[in-house]
Amino acid sequence: MTRTTAPVPPRPRSCPPYRGTRYRTPARPLVAVQDPEAVELTGPVFGAADITPLDHDLTRQHTGEPIGERITVTGRVRDRRGHPVRGQLVELWQANAAGRYAHRLDQHLAPLDPNFTGCGRCLTDDEGRYAFTTVRPGAYPWRNHVNAWRPAHLHFSFFGTAFTQRLVTQMYFPGDPLLALDPVLLSVTDEAARARLVAAYAHDLSVPEWSLGYRWDVVLDGPCATLFEEDGR
Amino acid sequence: MTAPHAPTPSQTIGPFHGHALPVVDGGAIAPVAHPETITVHGYVYDGAGEPVPDALVEIWQPAPDGSRTGAPGSLRRDPVTGRAAGRDGVTFTGFGRVATDADGRWAVRTLPPGGVPYLSVALFARGLLRHLYTRVYLWEEPGDTLLASLAADRRATLLARPEPPRTYRFDLRLQGAGETVFLEFSGAGRP
């Protein structure tokens, strides 16, 4: 049963420098649901049939090796209390090393790579850990403003234990000079929060003669129905 | 340990997710040929009244018996080819995912939710810094104070329009006249 609802103060949801937000950001405030029985406090689950063992390796989805700098990206997915999100689906998609997506509508004048589709997925382990092997994507232009370039980034999708914890976001690479110029990243107005979207180069994760390692931990926001039992210990 | 960890910010899904996230049978939530199957469909419109052709719509709902545990199998993969394998046709997973088409249209086939009158929706699109939550109310139930708290014109945006037999129309309007009520949950459940 729904208890009560009240409008909440609007937080920044549009970002004028990112032009795509103009006609797509709701003008009205979000309506707060405070129902302890809300369906959104639970969420979908995934299992072994939803992935294959090779899905986490984007360099092994075709007959040949993709061109680019081979990298691994790994980290832990946790909730606001620090509890690991176990057995949940993580999805990754990205441009190829030249900065082009394997998507028909991406007509950037950069080559497609027949050995790279740029989509991966995995389930988190018991510690909430995910891991992908891929190639570092290229930066690419977009028509947001004159000479607009997106910094190299990986798109990620996460599921928590509740639908309220759903997260789609982008991971960036440390030291990229385009980070300071990107309206999409700058749409996150808090500098400390922006920093949480930038992975760390992790030399301990680099494999000699093989790949460079990056570490990126993720914290899912939002309430869920299962925290009470865990806290009751 | 109680100190909350700082959340990872959301970023837009962007325009190029159609080769990565939608899957075969993503909207076929109901088991194949189930006699209770309903169809829920509609359009996504932006603030200029234009259809949104690059949105992703996700549905989450209880099973008809009220169970909220869900089940795996929404995004099955063929281990032989690595491609999307579609659903098994039997399991009700409670989860659906569909992309809007070039006309901004989306559709799912599912079973009526048990215990509540609504389907939960998460909407993702280029131009949205964070996804939006809303609900498709298939019918009104006395005591639902979310609906009761809303002015009539706002409440109407959450009510699917029956198109008998067993079909419901639900449009999502991101901005402007008839803007859909979008929800947030930070005060629900436990932090």
Side-chain angles (χ1 to χ4, degrees), chain B residues 74-167:
Chain B
S74 302
L75 305 174
R76 290 195 323 143
R77 290 265 149 175
D78 182 342
V80 176
T81 64
R83 297 198 193 97
R87 297 179 190 253
D88 66 12
V90 179
T91 307
F92 185 85
T93 69
F95 177 70
R97 173 190 274 176
V98 290
T100 52
D101 68 14
D103 293 323
R105 196 157 173 280
W106 64 279
V108 299
R109 284 175 290 112
T110 187
L111 301 178
V116 297
Y118 60 86
L119 312 178
S120 299
V121 175
L123 176 70
F124 304 81
R126 172 185 66 80
L128 289 179
L129 303 182
R130 186 174 191 267
H131 59 278
L132 295 169
Y133 290 107
T134 188
R135 288 175 174 175
V136 180
Y137 277 84
L138 299 171
W139 62 91
E140 289 189 78
E141 248 173 33
D144 188 296
T145 53
L146 170 59
L147 291 185
S149 72
L150 298 168
D153 62 327
R154 297 283 280 155
R155 182 166 63 243
T157 71
L158 297 184
L159 300 176
R161 191 175 78 222
E163 295 177 335
R166 310 195 67 78
T167 299

Side-chain angles (χ1 to χ4, degrees), chain A residues 50-109:
Chain A
D50 291 307
I51 60 163
T52 76
L54 282 178
D55 286 355
H56 74 282
D57 189 341
L58 287 74
T59 69
R60 295 171 68 192
Q61 296 176 351
H62 298 273
T63 52
E65 284 258 342
I67 289 172
E69 178 183 304
R70 189 183 297 109
I71 62 172
T72 59
V73 181
T74 187
R76 291 182 68 193
V77 185
R78 287 176 287 189
D79 65 22
R80 292 292 301 271
R81 305 289 184 92
H83 295 297
V85 175
R86 300 184 173 106
Q88 262 299 12
L89 182 69
V90 180
E91 296 164 285
L92 158 65
W93 72 103
Q94 63 170 101
N96 68 22
R100 185 165 172 190
Y101 291 90
H103 187 297
R104 290 284 291 272
L105 296 180
D106 185 359
Q107 291 297 308
H108 172 37
L109 291 174

